[in-house]
Amino acid sequence: MARKLDTSNAGLFKRALSRTGSGGGSNAALFGLSGKMRHREIPLDQVEPNPDQPRRNARGADIAALAASIGERGLLQPINVREVAPDRFQIVAGERRYWAFRALERETIPALVIDTDDVQALALIENAQRVDLHPIDLALTLARLIGDKGLTQEQAAVLIGKSQEYVARLLGILRLPARILEEAPDRPAVSVSLLMELAELPDEEAQFALWRRAGDGLTVKDVRSAKQERKAARPATPSAAPALRALRSNMDKIHSLRASGHALGEDQRQELRDLRDAIDALLHE
């Protein structure tokens, strides 16, 4: 017996869209949403995919397995769409479910119709709550929203219900070498935390050295240990502070000698002039 359709993602949308950042104003206002939502059974030939959908491989992401699951258990979550013309709908989120229904040769599909002009933002809201959206896909979508809409990291964090620090570290993943970004989605054991730690290593050589171990049980602890080892092995950055302290100390000694009645000879006075000229030249570099 097919399980009852779960429409709880309507509540998810309402909670996400009602969030406000420190500057005030809801996400609904930010993305031009009316808040109107309704459920409909829509003919599949009236539905079209979203070209900006966050998941990069929605059509090829094991649609056969999903179709088999839907055929056996029914659709557990409706797709989310917006009406782009009379009886024409564009998918906001749920493209895999759409292709599964196509594979099952169904004529209609349950949908949550949302009144919005910004499908990309809503696709992010729903997909961010799904455990199967890869963190690289989420990072790419957040980066695009920040670039296209001028969002701050804080606004992006409010949008997906995370902290600003989390968003900053998530976006940092995109600094990883292209090869790692390409291979990561095929390694399900690699967590978002591991990718964040790896992205914070100082150079590509270190990143690749650890990435080669990713298939052999590399952990966040391993990456953190590597970071600490590199920090400990890194030579101290040369500093002028000790030399300046020594110069000040020696100047104090010369002043003390003068104060006790020891006069400077002409050779010593010339040496001080030479030092003064050297200091002036150094300050003007």
Side-chain angles (χ1 to χ4, degrees):
M1 181 178 179
R3 293 176 60 182
K4 182 180 178 181
L5 182 70
D6 182 358
T7 59
S8 62
N9 57 346
L12 181 154
F13 271 110
K14 289 176 181 177
R15 289 193 299 275
L17 297 177
S18 65
R19 295 188 184 119
T20 56
S22 61
S26 69
N27 286 327
L30 183 62
F31 292 102
L33 311 175
S34 72
K36 296 177 183 177
M37 302 179 189
R38 63 190 187 277
H39 289 91
R40 283 189 55 181
E41 187 82 17
I42 300 177
L44 273 179
D45 60 10
Q46 294 181 7
V47 180
E48 61 187 36
N50 169 15
D52 294 322
Q53 114 101 285
R55 192 190 305 274
R56 293 170 294 171
N57 61 340
R59 187 168 186 176
D62 201 11
I63 296 302
L66 178 59
S69 174
I70 291 173
E72 179 182 349
R73 305 165 62 197
L75 182 66
L76 303 184
Q77 289 278 2
I79 65 172
N80 302 301
V81 300
R82 66 163 183 154
E83 192 166 11
V84 293
D87 295 326
R88 294 300 306 172
F89 301 87
Q90 186 179 78
I91 296 171
V92 171
E95 188 175 330
R96 290 180 67 245
R97 283 163 273 168
Y98 165 81
W99 289 114
F101 265 60
R102 284 286 191 191
L104 290 167
E105 299 183 348
R106 301 287 178 85
E107 294 184 358
T108 64
I109 187 168
L112 175 66
V113 183
I114 302 165
D115 186 10
T116 178
D117 291 326
D118 199 318
V119 296
Q120 186 187 14
L122 287 188
L124 171 64
I125 292 172
E126 196 215 33
N127 279 295
Q129 312 298 323
R130 301 181 68 86
V131 296
D132 57 350
L133 182 68
H134 196 276
I136 292 175
D137 288 327
L138 180 56
L140 286 167
T141 305
L142 279 178
R144 185 169 179 180
L145 280 172
I146 288 171
D148 291 352
K149 294 215 164 273
L151 268 65
T152 63
Q153 288 187 2
E154 182 187 23
Q155 287 173 315
V158 169
L159 184 65
I160 64 172
K162 301 288 186 180
S163 69
Q164 186 273 333
E165 179 185 3
Y166 179 91
V167 168
R169 298 191 73 207
L170 183 69
L171 293 172
I173 290 175
L174 301 180
R175 295 194 298 267
L176 285 167
R179 197 184 91 193
I180 294 179
L181 292 175
E182 183 178 339
E183 294 176 358
D186 296 325
R187 300 190 180 186
V190 175
S191 68
V192 61
S193 296
L194 194 150
L195 290 172
M196 288 175 175
E197 293 288 343
L198 202 62
E200 290 165 5
L201 279 166
D203 59 77
E204 289 190 5
E205 183 180 353
Q207 290 168 338
F208 279 123
L210 285 165
W211 184 246
R212 285 192 286 270
R213 296 168 49 195
D216 300 321
L218 180 70
T219 65
V220 169
K221 185 178 179 180
D222 293 334
V223 181
R224 288 176 179 168
S225 296
K227 288 161 77 173
Q228 289 300 320
E229 289 171 5
R230 290 182 64 84
K231 185 176 180 180
R234 190 182 306 150
T237 303
S239 171
L244 288 172
R245 285 195 297 269
L247 180 60
R248 169 59 64 185
S249 176
N250 288 327
M251 287 297 297
D252 290 342
K253 289 177 182 178
I254 293 173
H255 280 300
S256 296
L257 287 170
R258 291 285 309 278
S260 63
H262 290 79
L264 294 175
E266 184 56 34
D267 290 344
Q268 293 169 327
R269 295 175 69 86
Q270 184 58 47
E271 188 170 353
L272 282 174
R273 293 188 194 101
D274 291 342
L275 284 171
R276 182 185 61 192
D277 292 343
I279 291 171
D280 284 343
L282 189 62
L283 290 173
H284 287 88
E285 284 183 354

